[in-house]
Amino acid sequence: QQQVKQSPQSLIVQKGGISIINCAYENTAFDYFPWYQQFPGKGPALLIAIRPDVSEKKEGRFTISFNKSAKQFSLHIMDSQPGDSATYFCAASTKSGGFKTIFGAGTRLFVKA
Amino acid sequence: GAVVSQHPSWVICKSGTSVKIECRSLDFQATTMFWYRQFPKQSLMLMATSNEGSKATYEQGVEKDKFLINHASLTLSTLTVTSAHPEDSSFYICSARETGGGSYYEQYFGPGTRLTVT
């Protein structure tokens, strides 16, 4: 019940295209859903996050879509660029769980120039 | 703002020795810090939650006596890998939650420490 399932495992997108990564969760107590970007040999960096009272959040080229009833959320990267090539992790946490963050398995994105 | 540092960034040690990794919040106070472990091409696995002034809470399957965590101040947590073995080789990452400020949930991650045990 603590799992966050992420797909696809890897993704290749043409420059300028849209990258879409999906995640699903079971624990309805989760109340914070961040997305992280990680480059090789570096720590993860927060990209964008959403609370379950909102169905969509957009920051620049990054958009989170959130479907509370389906317990699913997704990251859309518009106008994907080669510099976006990295590993992306969805995650979930809950205040009642001491703010522990549960990470998805990760998606390795490669944007072709 | 909200910078977390780790030291060292990489370390090589011999089997049987102990290694200490420091995690510091540079410009904020952190009541809670988290320690993660990441194997190559895998996700981050939470090892333990470190609360300032109290004992760490370890996740199931993590050996408390092997991975000693100390959170002695609001800006510093340390992870000591005792009697390290090659299977302990991994990328160790810490994160910190800002005490009473900003986003209630947001964690700030350190750059990670690469541990290689020979």
Side-chain angles (χ1 to χ4, degrees), chain A residues 42-44, chain B residues 3-10 21-26 34-36 77 79 91-95 108-114:
Chain A
K42 305 294 183 183
Chain B
V3 178
V4 175
S5 70
Q6 283 184 238
H7 179 81
S9 56
W10 61 270
I21 302 170
E22 293 185 348
C23 176
R24 293 182 184 273
S25 55
L26 298 185
F34 301 92
W35 286 95
Y36 296 85
S77 176
L79 167 68
F91 194 49
Y92 292 88
I93 307 171
C94 71
S95 71
Y108 303 98
F109 283 82
T113 296
R114 174 77 58 195

Side-chain angles (χ1 to χ4, degrees), chain B residues 32-75:
Chain B
T32 305
M33 291 184 173
F34 301 92
W35 286 95
Y36 296 85
R37 184 174 183 177
Q38 186 177 35
F39 291 108
K41 298 183 181 179
Q42 293 191 22
S43 187
L44 283 77
M45 287 184 55
L46 180 65
M47 298 175 66
T49 301
S50 167
N51 291 297
E52 187 265 339
S54 63
K55 290 185 178 180
T57 302
Y58 291 81
E59 294 300 301
Q60 193 172 8
V62 177
E63 298 175 61
K64 301 178 183 181
D65 295 332
K66 182 165 192 60
F67 298 100
L68 301 179
I69 292 172
N70 183 278
H71 193 156
S73 78
L74 286 172
T75 59

Side-chain angles (χ1 to χ4, degrees), chain A residues 2-105:
Chain A
Q2 286 295 318
Q3 279 188 322
V4 177
K5 296 182 179 180
Q6 183 172 349
S7 63
Q9 193 172 28
S10 62
L11 182 61
I12 300 174
V13 174
Q14 286 289 140
K15 179 182 175 181
I18 302 174
S19 303
I20 302 174
I21 305 171
N22 301 298
C23 284
Y25 64 98
E26 288 295 323
N27 187 354
T28 55
F30 287 139
D31 53 8
Y32 178 69
F33 301 88
W35 284 89
Y36 291 93
Q37 179 188 57
Q38 186 181 32
F39 293 103
K42 305 294 183 183
L46 178 66
L47 264 181
I48 186 172
I50 198 168
R51 297 291 303 275
D53 53 348
V54 176
S55 62
E56 185 176 282
K57 184 175 181 180
K58 183 176 181 179
E59 290 184 0
R61 296 185 295 111
F62 301 95
T63 300
I64 299 178
S65 297
F66 187 84
N67 186 329
K68 187 175 181 178
S69 60
K71 292 185 284 187
Q72 296 175 347
F73 58 110
S74 61
L75 175 70
H76 294 231
I77 305 174
M78 312 300 287
D79 187 26
S80 298
Q81 299 297 312
D84 296 330
S85 297
T87 300
Y88 292 81
F89 294 97
C90 63
S93 68
T94 171
K95 179 181 177 181
S96 63
F99 300 101
K100 292 193 298 185
T101 299
I102 307 301
F103 282 80

